[in-house]
Amino acid sequence: MKMSTVVRTTTKMVSPFLVTYAAYLMLYGHLSPGGGFQGGVILAVAVILLITSHGYAKVRRRFHFNWASLIESSAGALLVLLGLAGLAFGAFYANFLPTEGGIILPFNVIVGLEVGAAFTFVFYILLRWVESD
């Protein structure tokens, strides 16, 4: 189903702000309410909104299915590596960074990428299943 020009234009205008807000939530989640999961969900909503308004085939050309899979699996591996790096400093996910918030900032960013890519990945899979019917 093709959406109207107003919906497509509005979606194009809103999506960059959603991505920016998702980045803000991921980067400042250790200082204010928010965090990786919330930022990741908003990041996925930006992509899903574009898919819904512009169509799966058009968006799939820019946001490839394999990219979502690669980002999701890489972020999962980085989470494990972050936990194992903490083991070298005494405990799993030990706070070994001397910065404000320690490992919470990289943890939030990695979780945000993991969640955003996972939700996008699931939405792609659901759309493939719907297209096959």
Side-chain angles (χ1 to χ4, degrees):
M1 183 171 109
K2 188 173 181 179
M3 294 285 178
S4 69
T5 304
V6 173
V7 171
R8 285 183 280 150
T9 304
T10 305
T11 302
K12 277 185 179 177
M13 292 170 53
V14 168
S15 289
F17 290 109
L18 287 175
V19 172
T20 304
Y21 186 58
Y24 170 78
L25 286 178
M26 286 188 259
L27 293 174
Y28 291 99
H30 64 292
L31 299 174
S32 62
F37 189 85
Q38 292 87 352
V41 168
I42 292 174
L43 190 64
V45 164
V47 176
I48 291 170
L49 196 61
L50 286 172
I51 292 170
T52 306
S53 64
H54 292 278
Y56 175 61
K58 186 174 181 180
V59 174
R60 189 176 58 187
R61 278 184 248 138
R62 292 198 177 211
F63 299 103
H64 296 278
F65 179 79
N66 292 337
W67 291 0
S69 174
L70 179 69
I71 291 171
E72 198 268 338
S73 57
S74 299
L78 285 174
L79 279 176
V80 171
L81 287 177
L82 189 64
L84 292 176
L87 272 179
F89 291 92
F92 197 62
Y93 284 112
N95 190 7
F96 59 87
L97 294 176
T99 60
E100 183 180 350
I103 67 163
I104 296 175
L105 176 63
F107 182 80
N108 276 340
V109 171
I110 295 170
V111 167
L113 292 174
E114 168 77 25
V115 170
F119 276 116
T120 304
F121 188 70
V122 167
F123 197 73
Y124 276 160
I125 290 172
L126 289 174
L127 283 176
R128 278 185 174 181
W129 181 65
V130 169
E131 278 186 344
S132 66
D133 278 345

